[in-house]
């Protein structure tokens, strides 16, 4: 039973990760206005704090007897899945925030050609 529960949770986490990845450009544009220091702090916090919450939450589930010989109890499975979703959401968001530190604003902006042609720019054969 644990494999089915884990598989379903994993599928949900992967789906959320894909959705968050598609939102990455929008997130990067939103946080571009923050100072570099704020982006560093926010990105780091979005990596460390959710990991602590996930590990702490799983510890509480373990202490409350949520892990049984046949798998997780229903409530424990829901809590573990929710904790995992929060973790994945924050990790993807944090990655998008931290990527603004390494990728220039030219790359983040809209996609424009590197060269534009005007009336007098055409090449003569």
């Amino acid at each position: 039973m644990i494999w089915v529960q884990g598989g379903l949770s994993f599928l949900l986490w992967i789906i959320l990760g894909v959705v968050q990845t598609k939102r990455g450009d929008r997130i990067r544009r939103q946080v571009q206005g923050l100072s570099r220091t704020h982006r560093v702090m926010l990105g780091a916090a979005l990596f460390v704090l959710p990991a602590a919450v996930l590990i702490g939450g799983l510890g509480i589930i373990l202490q409350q007897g949520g892990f049984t010989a046949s798998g997780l109890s229903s409530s424990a499975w829901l809590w573990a899945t929710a904790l995992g979703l929060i973790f994945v959401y924050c990790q993807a968001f944090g990655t998008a925030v931290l990527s603004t530190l390494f990728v220039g604003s030219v790359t983040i902006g809209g996609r424009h050609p590197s060269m534009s042609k005007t009336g007098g720019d055409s090449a003569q054969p």
Side-chain angles (χ1 to χ4, degrees):
M1 182 67 171
I2 189 80
W3 292 105
V4 173
Q5 292 170 325
L8 289 172
S9 295
F10 185 73
L11 181 62
L12 290 172
W13 299 332
I14 293 297
I15 290 170
L16 178 62
V18 169
V19 169
Q20 276 296 95
T21 300
K22 291 182 181 196
R23 295 181 58 230
D25 286 339
R26 188 175 70 181
I27 294 167
R28 283 188 288 274
R29 281 191 300 274
Q30 288 174 341
V31 299
Q32 198 63 22
L34 297 174
S35 72
R36 183 175 181 81
T37 303
H38 283 106
R39 286 182 282 158
V40 167
M41 298 301 287
L42 177 61
L46 286 169
F47 271 94
V48 175
L49 295 178
V53 169
L54 176 67
I55 292 169
L58 291 175
I60 291 170
I61 291 170
L62 178 64
Q63 286 180 342
Q64 297 297 319
F67 293 95
T68 65
S70 62
L72 290 151
S73 67
S74 297
S75 62
W77 177 68
L78 289 173
W79 278 107
T81 301
L83 288 169
L85 288 170
I86 291 166
F87 177 76
V88 169
Y89 178 87
C90 291
Q91 293 285 298
F93 197 95
T95 301
V97 170
L98 289 176
S99 72
T100 64
L101 302 171
F102 307 107
V103 178
S105 60
V106 172
T107 305
I108 294 170
R111 290 178 173 77
H112 301 288
S114 59
M115 295 176 56
S116 60
K117 278 189 168 183
T118 60
D121 289 343
S122 61
Q124 301 290 335

